[in-house]
Amino acid sequence: MFDSGGVREIEKPWQNGAELESLARFAVEEHNKKENSLLKFVRLVEAYEQMVAGPMYYFTLEATDAGTTKLYKAKVWEQPWMNFKQLQEFKLSD
């Protein structure tokens, strides 16, 4: 769980599940580009949202790394009206 002010959990089943999964996949792809790694997205576990200048999404997701599934935390900022999305943070979950 992320404890920043104004962050709310997006309840399952996610109404915009395909969009959220697409953003989680984007996080893995961007991480792979930045770190020259080969993580493969498995599934979205948790999703939180905070409204800033557009939604900031906080994801807990599963990805495989060399055949081993691990949990990761990712933060993606989106401004759909500007056709903008950016990976803000990606790390192995504690």
Side-chain angles (χ1 to χ4, degrees):
M1 178 182 209
F2 299 88
D3 358 90
S4 298
V7 176
R8 67 171 187 84
E9 183 172 5
I10 301 172
E11 299 286 328
K12 291 180 190 175
W14 296 306
Q15 290 180 338
N16 51 350
E19 179 187 344
L20 291 176
E21 184 175 307
S22 174
L23 287 168
R25 286 180 183 277
F26 166 80
V28 172
E29 291 164 9
E30 287 297 298
H31 169 76
N32 284 343
K33 286 180 199 172
K34 283 183 178 178
E35 300 299 323
N36 197 26
S37 62
L38 297 171
L39 295 180
K40 295 199 184 316
F41 177 82
V42 175
R43 73 183 181 102
L44 183 57
V45 177
E46 285 183 320
Y48 292 81
E49 179 180 43
Q50 178 181 24
M51 291 310 290
V52 287
M56 180 78 72
Y57 293 101
Y58 299 84
F59 298 125
T60 301
L61 59 91
E62 285 183 350
T64 56
D65 182 11
T68 304
T69 302
K70 298 177 182 177
L71 277 178
Y72 295 88
K73 300 279 189 187
K75 186 164 88 170
V76 176
W77 180 30
E78 183 182 38
Q79 292 179 325
W81 65 94
M82 300 283 291
N83 198 25
F84 170 85
K85 58 185 168 187
Q86 184 179 66
L87 180 64
Q88 298 283 305
E89 184 177 315
F90 193 96
K91 63 183 181 179
L92 194 58
S93 183
D94 300 337

